[in-house]
């Protein structure tokens, strides 16, 4: 085999063509809530909503499945956005005072979003560039006229400018400066020498020629554009915050910095107007400013007055609130993060008399909240997208494909029972049309959280929809109150607060955090494991039940002397009967001792076994008989750090310094000693020294990508951490008898293989499952073992438990010899079974020091043939790139740049699916979805039909053609690696690093 080791054959054209039919890398859609939102907009004609962020990204949403993403060329905060109603266009204002025009265009039969124009307001006339105050033309407010052909720009200097749309041409002859306004204002209306910045611009609903202009120092005037005259003047004694017209335009409402609002009459007489009413809703004590207020009429009774802020400064100044008032009914919506903006969905027919608002949508820093204004009590509406993934910090993720229809329906039913008080009205943002085909198979994304919850998400399509939430904190005795509903204030309490939203990032006990999840979709059995060594076995129940928690303790130290756990205490389960809602209900609790974080779990429902591992060892538990089967300690004698625990703070500085000095002294002494010739470490060092003494590559023939690797010491701390566990029915003892086995891999490069004696179903009550050590493998390079998989006689991965017995998968080949694929951080290796002799390997560390971080065995169907597919190994490295290999030949196929290597959290959060897709966190609240398959791609495919014909401003857009391509062209997050065409490499020309055989038809027919 050595003669092929450095062989570099040319690319096989047939194989290269096949790769193009199997593999393609695309970042397709972003799931979750935009990170750090900064502005909100709504198009009532197209029924679209836009959200922009501080990083310069913006996203447009319609009916579920309709999403558009854009990213400004300049990185900056988007401070305002406004739709050109009915045109499919959007104006955005950045904090650098530039205005950008975006347009939804159509290409390849799908719509996409692109930036088409940019505008910057020039300096004020009479000032040169050096002497002009920098803030005098800074835009404070933008108002689009109802015709959407003109934008009014209010500035910090008090001027109002007019911008023609969509040409983005400034109309200098219409500019209204503060000096001109002051000339027409009586002396008793002037607020000093200047009126202050323009705070609000509002078009008269009955007469578009009139504009209500509000200045920060309290003056409000009704300006007639055609005559350039002031028709009405209104003066308050408090700083102005916002304005809002009443639908008939006979009155308007203003809000102020002292927490008050005033209702003003509008008449044609140029007399001094006084407010009809003036109120401080939460007075009389000093209150914070009412930042925004809107007035909406209703034919059902009194008008709606909705405003943000206005809370009593001393008592509730730190609350983030929006108040809804209608007659005597009043509620104060209390959010857990700052309010960004809000709007109402209402009747826009100009012939109608009333607004009749249907819903209130509120954008806060960490979530989107919708309120039903037509249902008594004003309940909240569950959004079908923009889910707050980070309502509690995500600690782990788990994806499972092809969910059976029955389990899917049961999960949805249990989820609906959890939110009986939520409104059932249709989601009000329903613009556009989703053209993506219905997903053939259902996919679940499970996220574990810091507060002990597991959330189930519908990951089948573009919109990540919440289905069900499982709480585990109520099983244990903690100081926190784990009630599902927020405590509400009593009827007599004031203000009438109501907690809304689900964002609650604070965890009262970090031990509750979920670290590992495993779900069997055929038996509806779930295992969740946490930070304090708790392993909870659950089963699905469609009805409420009361049960007592059964507990079993498994000592993984096996009474080893010299080890004392210094970490956190275990969680104590509640005693007596506990009530559980419909859904997944705990049937058994296994507590690891010491209570260290669970690092690996495996579930085999056919054998009724669950395996778990920590930094001290691993165990097997028979949840049918409710008894432990195996407990194996993997600690090395020097693994003192494993006893500290992730939450321990007891390690003293004195001890740390003492150990450091001992290591220095030891290295000095060992350097003077002559190395033993029989030591493998010394041999490697000698070889490395000889290589270092060479003058150059011309004197020694070395592959350029190879690098020297020091073998790891067995004394490394935390070497006993169990990284992976795997159940398999294979040949372990001999080549003729196969049976149940458990494989465990550790941080020290050790692999333990146990043969399991599982009784038949008829004898489950009579006999216990037994485990006998069959093999123990020690990898020479001692790199952590991150994954293990057994391949059948055809080289295919073994099917999942119960998959074959239910005729859902082909039975594995049990006639030929099996092999085991052991994957460490540095290399992949295939061993034959049961002899455990090396068959094939690939050394990943030969490439720029790459280390394996995430792995997945995926099936890639051909885009041209329904009958052909290949099973491949996919790995993500610490450099953020993805490699695809054949199985079992380990031939490299493709390499793609996916994540920046500096994005450590993104790499750590990545999870692969079985169907050639993956997810990773691009922010605490957003998953990026990507696809490696040409056939399985989940991306937005949608169109929007604007009301009137318009000419596209972008020359590159066209209505429709027959080309196929991804409609997603812009990224909404600046953390992605730019994928050059040269980097989307087929690796057929670099196969020389593989120690293997020539291509054969066997690899093409997997």
């Amino acid at each position: 085999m050595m003669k092929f080791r450095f062989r570099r054959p040319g690319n096989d054209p047939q194989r290269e063509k096949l790769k193009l039919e199997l593999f393609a890398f695309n970042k397709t859609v972003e799931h979750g809530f935009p990170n750090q939102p900064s502005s909100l907009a709504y198009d009532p004609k197209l029924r679209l909503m836009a959200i922009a962020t501080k990083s310069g990204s913006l996203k447009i949403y319609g009916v579920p499945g309709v999403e558009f993403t854009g990213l400004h060329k300049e990185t900056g905060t988007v401070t305002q956005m406004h739709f050109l109603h009915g045109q499919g266009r959007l104006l955005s204002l950045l904090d650098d005072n530039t205005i950008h025009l975006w347009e939804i265009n159509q290409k390849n039969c799908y719509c996409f979003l692109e930036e088409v124009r940019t505008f910057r307001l020039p300096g004020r006339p009479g000032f040169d560039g050096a002497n002009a105050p920098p803030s005098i033309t800074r835009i404070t407010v933008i108002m689009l006229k109802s015709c959407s052909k003109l934008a009014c720009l209010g500035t910090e200097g008090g001027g109002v400018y007019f911008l023609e749309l969509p040409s983005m041409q400034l109309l200098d002859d219409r500019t209204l400066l503060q000096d001109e306004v002051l000339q027409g204002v009586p002396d008793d209306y002037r607020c000093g020498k200047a009126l202050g910045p323009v705070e609000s611009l509002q078009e008269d609903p009955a007469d578009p020629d009139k504009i209500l202009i509000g200045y920060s120092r309290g003056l409000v005037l009704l300006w007639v554009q055609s005559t350039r005259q002031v028709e009405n003047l209104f003066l308050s004694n408090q700083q102005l915050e916002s304005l809002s017209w009443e639908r008939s335009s006979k009155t308007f409402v203003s809000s102020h910095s002292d927490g008050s609002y005033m209702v003003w009459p509008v008449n044609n007489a140029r007399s001094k107007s006084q407010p009809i009413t003036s109120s401080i809703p939460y007075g009389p004590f000093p209150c914070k400013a009412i930042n925004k207020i809107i007035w909406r009429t209703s034919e059902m009774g009194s008008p709606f007055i909705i405003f943000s802020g206005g809370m009593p400064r001393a008592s509730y100044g730190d609350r983030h609130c929006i108040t809804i008032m209608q007659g005597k009914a009043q509620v104060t919506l209390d959010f857990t993060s700052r309010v960004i903006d809000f709007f109402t969905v209402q009747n826009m027919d100009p012939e109608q008399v009333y607004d009749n608002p249907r819903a209130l949508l509120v954008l806060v820093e960490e979530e989107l909240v919708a309120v039903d204004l037509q249902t008594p009590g004003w309940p909240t509406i569950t959004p079908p997208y923009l889910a707050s993934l980070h309502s509690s910090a995500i600690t782990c993720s788990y994806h499972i494909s092809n969910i059976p229809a029955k389990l899917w329906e049961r999960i949805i039913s249990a989820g609906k029972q959890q939110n009986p008080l939520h409104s059932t009205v249709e989601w009000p943002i329903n613009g556009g049309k989703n053209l993506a085909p219905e997903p053939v198979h259902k996919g679940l994304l499970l996220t574990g959280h810091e507060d002990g919850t597991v959330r189930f998400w519908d990951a089948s399509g573009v919109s990540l929809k919440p289905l069900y939430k499982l709480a585990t904190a109520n099983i244990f005795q903690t100081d926190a109150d784990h009630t599902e509903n927020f405590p509400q204030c009593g009827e007599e309490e004031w203000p009438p607060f109501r907690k809304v939203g689900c964002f609650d990032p604070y965890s009262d006990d970090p031990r509750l955090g979920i670290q590992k999840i495993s779900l069997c979709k055929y038996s509806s059995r779930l295992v969740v494991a946490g930070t304090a060594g708790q392993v909870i076995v659950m089963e699905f129940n469609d009805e409420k039940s009361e049960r007592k928690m059964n507990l079993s303790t498994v000592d993984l130290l096996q009474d080893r002397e010299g080890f004392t756990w210094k970490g956190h205490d275990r969680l104590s389960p509640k005693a007596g009967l506990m009530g559980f809602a419909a859904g997944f209900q705990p049937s058994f609790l296994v507590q690891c001792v010491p209570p260290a974080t669970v690092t690996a779990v495996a579930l085999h429902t056919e054998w009724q076994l669950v395996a778990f591992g920590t930094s001290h060892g691993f165990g097997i538990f028979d949840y049918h008989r409710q008894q432990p089967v195996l407990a194996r300690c993997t600690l090395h004698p020097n693994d003192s750090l494993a006893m500290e625990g992730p939450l321990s703070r007891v390690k003293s500085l004195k001890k740390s310094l003492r150990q450091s000095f001992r290591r220095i002294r030891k290295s000095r002494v060992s350097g003077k000693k002559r190395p033993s010739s029989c030591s493998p470490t010394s041999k490697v060092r000698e070889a490395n020294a000889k290589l270092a003494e060479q003058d150059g590559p011309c004197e020694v023939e070395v592959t350029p990508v190879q690098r020297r690797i020091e073998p790891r010491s067995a004394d490394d701390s935390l070497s006993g951490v169990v990284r992976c566990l795997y159940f398999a029915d294979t040949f372990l003892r001999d080549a003729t008898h196969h049976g149940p086995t458990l494989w465990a891999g550790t941080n020290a490069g050790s692999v333990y293989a146990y043969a399991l004696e599982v009784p038949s179903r008829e004898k489950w009550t009579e006999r216990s499952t037994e485990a006998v050590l069959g093999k123990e493998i020690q990898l020479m390079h001692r790199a952590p073992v991150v994954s293990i998989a057994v391949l059948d006689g055809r080289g295919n991965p073994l099917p999942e438990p119960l998959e074959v017995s239910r005729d859902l998968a082909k039975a594995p080949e049990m006639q030929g010899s099996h092999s085991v694929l052991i994957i460490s951080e540095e290399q992949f290796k295939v061993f034959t079974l049961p002899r455990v002799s090396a068959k094939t390997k690939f050394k990943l560390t030969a490439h720029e020091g790459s280390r394996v971080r995430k792995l997945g065995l995926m099936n890639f169907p051909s885009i041209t043939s329904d009958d052909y597919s290949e099973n491949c190994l996919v790995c993500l490295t610490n450099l953020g790139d993805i490699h695809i290999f054949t199985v079992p030949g380990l031939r490299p196929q493709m390499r793609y740049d996916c994540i920046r290597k500096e994005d450590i959290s993104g790499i750590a959060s990545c999870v692969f699916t079985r169907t050639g897709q993956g997810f990773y966190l691009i922010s605490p609240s957003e998953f990026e979805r990507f696809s490696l398959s040409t056939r399985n791609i989940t991306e937005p495919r949608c169109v929007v039909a604007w009301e009137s014909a318009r000419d596209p401003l972008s020359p590159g857009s066209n209505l429709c053609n027959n080309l196929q391509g991804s409609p997603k062209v812009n990224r909404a997050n600046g953390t992605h690696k730019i994928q050059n065409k040269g980097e989307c490499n087929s690796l057929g020309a670099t196969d020389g690093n593989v120690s293997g055989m020539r291509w054969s038809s066997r690899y093409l027919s997997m």
Side-chain angles (χ1 to χ4, degrees):
M1 292 191 32
M2 290 300 295
K3 64 179 179 180
F4 301 113
R5 187 174 185 83
F6 298 102
R7 181 175 178 271
R8 295 179 180 272
N11 291 350
D12 179 3
Q14 184 178 359
R15 182 62 192 176
E16 293 302 310
K17 180 183 177 182
L18 186 58
K19 290 179 184 179
L20 296 177
E21 296 173 358
L22 295 173
F23 312 117
F25 176 73
N26 290 289
K27 289 182 178 178
T28 55
V29 68
E30 290 156 7
H31 296 304
F33 185 78
N35 188 40
Q36 295 183 318
S38 58
S39 61
L40 177 70
Y42 174 59
D43 187 338
K45 292 185 177 180
L46 297 184
R47 303 184 307 281
L48 298 175
M49 175 181 65
I51 295 177
T53 69
K54 292 183 179 179
S55 64
S57 69
L58 57 90
K59 298 182 181 182
I60 297 178
Y61 300 90
V63 72
V66 174
E67 293 186 15
F68 303 101
T69 302
L71 181 65
H72 288 87
K73 298 175 183 177
E74 303 84 7
T75 301
T77 300
V78 183
T79 57
Q80 292 184 50
M81 288 190 302
H82 300 272
F83 276 102
L84 280 65
H85 293 178
Q87 295 186 21
R89 291 177 176 141
L90 177 75
L91 276 185
S92 62
L93 174 66
L94 294 187
D95 57 356
D96 63 358
N97 211 43
T98 57
I99 299 176
H100 302 259
L101 179 62
W102 295 81
E103 190 173 67
I104 298 175
N105 286 316
Q106 204 166 21
K107 188 175 182 180
N108 300 341
C109 300
Y110 302 112
C111 286
F112 67 98
L113 181 67
E114 64 177 336
E115 182 180 348
V116 291
R117 299 275 170 83
T118 303
F119 172 81
R120 183 186 293 272
L121 194 62
R124 183 172 171 178
F127 291 91
D128 56 25
N131 298 323
S135 63
I136 200 168
T137 56
R138 177 167 291 279
I139 300 171
T140 55
V141 61
I142 298 178
M143 183 206 72
L144 266 63
K145 300 281 286 182
S146 58
C147 62
S148 294
K149 295 182 179 179
L150 199 66
C152 308
L153 315 178
T155 63
E156 201 162 314
V160 180
Y161 300 82
F162 296 87
L163 190 67
E164 187 180 49
L165 298 175
S167 63
M168 303 280 275
Q169 297 294 321
L170 186 64
L171 303 178
D172 293 324
D173 57 330
R174 296 196 183 186
T175 300
L176 175 64
L177 298 178
Q178 195 171 120
D179 299 338
E180 183 179 351
V181 173
L182 287 171
Q183 292 176 4
V185 175
D187 294 340
D188 56 342
Y189 274 80
R190 299 190 182 190
C191 312
K193 295 182 179 180
L195 303 176
V198 178
E199 286 292 336
S200 183
L201 294 170
Q202 297 291 328
E203 183 184 70
D204 190 329
D207 188 355
D209 191 42
K210 299 177 182 178
I211 301 175
L212 203 62
I213 305 175
Y215 297 91
S216 65
R217 294 192 177 178
L219 177 66
V220 179
L221 56 90
L222 187 61
W223 174 260
V224 183
Q225 288 182 266
S226 57
T227 61
R228 300 187 67 84
Q229 292 182 351
V230 176
E231 184 171 293
N232 284 92
L233 291 170
F234 313 89
L235 183 65
S236 66
N237 55 2
Q238 293 293 332
Q239 180 177 319
L240 181 70
E241 295 292 331
S242 71
L243 299 171
S244 178
W245 279 104
E246 186 260 338
R247 188 180 180 95
S248 67
S249 76
K250 296 179 180 179
T251 56
F252 70 89
V253 61
S254 63
S255 67
H256 302 274
S257 60
D258 64 342
S260 67
Y261 70 86
M262 304 177 184
V263 179
W264 303 82
V266 178
N267 50 54
N268 296 326
R270 191 182 167 89
S271 58
K272 188 171 183 179
S273 299
Q274 296 294 330
I276 301 174
T277 59
S278 179
S279 171
I280 303 179
Y282 297 108
F285 300 105
C287 295
K288 300 193 73 174
I290 294 179
N291 307 110
K292 180 179 178 178
I293 190 168
I294 56 178
W295 178 311
R296 299 290 182 258
T297 57
S298 172
E299 62 182 341
M300 301 303 292
S302 303
F304 283 89
I305 298 178
I306 305 172
F307 59 86
S308 61
M311 288 293 104
R313 189 176 296 274
S315 304
Y316 304 108
D318 57 343
R319 297 286 187 100
H320 311 290
C321 299
I322 283 185
T323 299
I324 305 175
M325 300 169 58
Q326 187 187 27
K328 295 182 179 180
Q330 181 172 343
V331 66
T332 306
L333 305 178
D334 189 8
F335 303 91
T336 53
S337 56
R338 185 173 62 90
V339 176
I340 304 295
D341 201 356
F342 62 92
F343 65 85
T344 56
V345 178
Q346 66 215 31
N347 177 23
M348 295 300 295
D349 186 354
E351 297 181 359
Q352 297 295 322
V353 179
Y354 298 98
D355 294 311
N356 290 331
R358 293 185 287 118
L360 168 69
L361 278 85
V362 184
L363 176 68
V364 294
E365 278 187 330
E366 306 295 350
E367 59 188 324
L368 178 75
V369 178
V371 179
D372 180 4
L373 297 179
Q374 291 185 322
T375 303
W378 302 327
T380 56
I381 309 170
T382 303
Y385 42 66
L386 288 169
S388 182
L389 297 173
H390 63 316
S391 53
S392 175
I394 296 176
T395 50
C396 66
S397 303
Y398 179 83
H399 184 275
I400 186 163
S401 307
N402 302 338
I403 301 296
K406 184 176 180 181
L407 176 60
W408 187 265
E409 293 170 0
R410 296 173 72 190
I411 291 175
I412 291 177
S413 176
K416 289 180 179 178
Q417 296 179 45
Q418 291 181 327
N419 303 309
L421 301 179
H422 286 202
S423 174
T424 58
V425 300
E426 181 185 354
W427 179 243
I429 310 300
N430 54 6
K433 184 177 181 180
N434 180 19
L435 299 181
E438 282 294 320
V440 180
H441 302 291
K442 299 295 186 181
L444 271 180
L445 179 66
L446 278 63
T447 53
H449 297 264
E450 192 179 40
D451 62 353
T453 59
V454 178
R455 287 172 166 83
F456 291 64
W457 309 92
D458 178 1
S460 310
V462 171
S463 300
L464 192 70
K465 184 179 179 181
L467 297 179
Y468 169 73
K469 183 175 77 170
L470 168 67
T472 63
N474 53 0
I475 301 173
F476 302 101
Q477 297 177 6
T478 60
D479 296 333
D481 179 19
H482 301 293
T483 55
E484 291 294 321
N485 298 319
F486 288 106
Q488 307 293 340
C489 290
E491 295 181 359
E492 302 299 326
E493 295 188 48
W494 186 262
F497 287 117
R498 180 200 295 173
K499 280 281 188 182
V500 289
C502 62
F503 179 73
D504 184 15
Y506 306 107
S507 175
D508 298 299
D509 196 333
R511 298 175 297 172
L512 295 169
I514 304 298
Q515 298 298 327
K516 294 295 174 182
I517 304 171
S518 183
L519 171 66
C520 176
K521 58 188 177 184
Y522 302 116
S523 64
S524 305
R525 184 80 61 171
L526 175 69
V527 172
V528 294
T531 305
Q534 70 270 29
V535 181
I536 308 170
V537 183
M538 298 187 167
E539 59 184 353
F540 201 96
N541 193 339
D542 296 309
E543 304 293 336
K544 297 179 180 179
S545 69
E546 286 189 351
R547 59 178 67 187
K548 185 179 180 181
M549 180 56 61
N550 298 314
L551 171 66
S552 179
T553 302
V554 178
D555 183 7
L556 296 178
L557 289 181
Q558 294 293 287
D559 300 325
R560 284 206 181 187
E561 297 181 357
F563 291 99
T564 304
W565 174 249
K566 301 175 184 177
H568 49 265
D569 295 330
R570 70 178 76 173
L571 287 164
S572 300
K574 293 179 180 177
L577 290 175
M578 290 180 281
F580 298 101
F584 284 99
Q585 299 173 354
S587 58
F588 208 86
L589 171 63
V590 181
Q591 178 64 56
C592 300
V593 177
T597 299
V598 177
T599 56
V601 293
L603 173 66
H604 202 292
T605 51
E606 202 164 357
W607 303 333
Q608 310 252 352
L609 298 176
V610 58
F612 45 88
T614 69
S615 56
H616 309 116
F618 60 92
I620 306 174
F621 190 82
D622 182 344
Y623 59 82
H624 178 75
R625 294 179 60 88
Q626 299 187 358
Q627 64 182 22
V629 176
L630 171 71
R632 171 67 187 257
C633 183
T634 57
L635 282 181
H636 188 272
N638 293 339
D639 271 352
S640 58
L641 189 58
M643 307 308 294
E644 299 290 344
L647 307 177
S648 173
R649 298 292 182 269
V650 299
K651 193 173 184 180
S652 65
L653 178 63
K654 186 185 297 184
K655 179 181 178 182
S656 179
L657 289 173
R658 186 165 59 246
Q659 290 178 346
S660 300
F661 281 119
R662 284 177 178 174
R663 279 195 294 268
I664 295 172
R665 194 182 308 116
K666 183 179 179 181
S667 63
R668 287 175 178 171
V669 173
S670 61
K672 297 177 182 178
K673 295 181 179 179
R674 184 176 180 177
S676 172
S677 59
C678 61
S679 170
T681 305
S682 63
K683 289 181 180 180
V684 173
R685 287 174 179 166
E686 286 179 12
N688 289 344
K690 290 179 180 179
L691 288 172
E693 291 171 1
Q694 301 295 336
D695 294 332
C698 60
E699 296 188 12
V700 58
E701 218 174 309
V702 180
T703 307
V705 293
Q706 296 284 345
R707 70 180 186 88
R708 299 192 297 266
I709 306 169
E710 289 282 357
R712 304 190 184 203
S713 170
D715 297 341
D716 287 349
S717 61
L718 297 177
S719 61
V721 175
V722 177
R723 296 289 296 272
C724 60
L725 292 163
Y726 177 70
F727 284 110
D729 185 356
T730 187
F731 301 89
L732 186 62
R733 294 174 175 174
D734 55 60
T736 56
H737 300 90
H738 62 86
T741 61
L742 173 73
W743 300 74
T746 71
N747 240 15
S750 300
V751 177
Y752 304 92
Y754 277 83
L756 305 177
E757 295 289 343
V758 180
S760 61
R761 287 182 176 270
E762 296 79 14
K763 298 183 179 180
W764 259 343
T765 56
E766 302 174 9
R767 291 178 52 196
S768 302
T769 301
E770 297 179 0
V772 179
L773 181 62
K775 306 286 183 183
E776 187 170 342
I777 307 169
Q778 177 62 57
L779 301 181
M780 295 297 293
H781 57 295
R782 296 184 180 276
V785 178
V786 294
S787 183
I788 300 172
V790 172
L791 309 175
D792 67 5
R794 302 188 190 98
N796 296 325
L798 298 183
E800 297 180 23
L802 299 176
E803 205 168 21
V804 175
S805 61
R806 301 195 179 191
D807 297 328
L808 299 170
K810 184 186 294 186
E813 175 60 55
M814 307 303 286
Q815 301 300 323
S817 60
H818 283 197
S819 54
V820 59
L821 173 61
I822 297 178
I823 301 165
S824 72
E825 284 188 355
E826 298 180 0
Q827 71 177 21
F828 316 139
K829 206 162 187 177
V830 177
F831 296 88
T832 61
L833 289 177
R835 293 178 55 192
V836 193
S837 58
K839 184 178 179 183
T840 313
K841 74 174 180 180
F842 182 87
K843 192 183 299 183
L844 188 72
T845 43
H847 297 278
E848 302 175 359
S850 296
R851 297 292 176 92
V852 176
R853 288 294 177 260
K854 297 292 179 178
L855 280 170
L857 283 168
M858 298 185 182
N859 182 263
F860 291 90
S862 171
I863 196 172
T864 60
S865 174
D866 295 336
D867 301 326
Y868 184 81
S869 65
E870 289 189 11
N871 290 311
C872 293
L873 174 68
V874 179
C875 83
L876 173 71
T877 72
N878 61 326
L879 303 179
D881 51 4
I882 289 178
H883 298 257
I884 302 177
F885 301 88
T886 60
V887 173
L890 298 182
R891 292 276 183 173
Q893 299 299 292
M894 306 295 285
R895 186 192 71 82
Y896 302 107
D897 289 331
C898 182
I899 311 174
R900 292 184 306 115
K901 63 181 179 181
E902 296 84 6
D903 188 5
I904 299 174
S905 61
I907 294 173
S909 65
C910 183
V911 56
F912 291 120
T913 75
R914 297 285 296 272
T915 58
Q917 299 188 66
F919 305 81
Y920 69 93
L921 288 173
I922 54 175
S923 73
S925 59
E926 291 174 287
F927 272 114
E928 174 74 74
R929 187 173 191 145
F930 61 90
S931 173
L932 302 169
S933 170
T934 56
R935 195 158 187 169
N936 296 320
I937 301 177
T938 303
E939 63 183 348
R941 295 185 179 273
C942 50
V943 292
V944 171
W946 36 89
E947 288 193 336
S948 58
R950 64 170 175 82
D951 295 327
L953 302 179
S954 172
S957 62
N958 60 326
L959 289 180
C960 187
N961 57 45
N962 295 324
L963 297 177
Q964 296 299 319
S966 171
K968 190 173 185 183
V969 293
N970 288 325
R971 305 306 312 144
N973 188 291
T975 63
H976 308 294
K977 295 181 76 169
I978 303 300
Q979 185 74 52
N980 298 323
K981 289 185 178 180
E983 294 176 341
C984 303
N985 284 347
S986 168
L987 298 180
T990 58
D991 291 348
N993 294 321
V994 183
S995 177
M997 287 78 72
R998 294 178 185 267
W999 284 110
S1000 68
S1001 59
R1002 185 160 66 96
Y1003 298 116
L1004 297 176
S1005 60
M1006 286 186 296

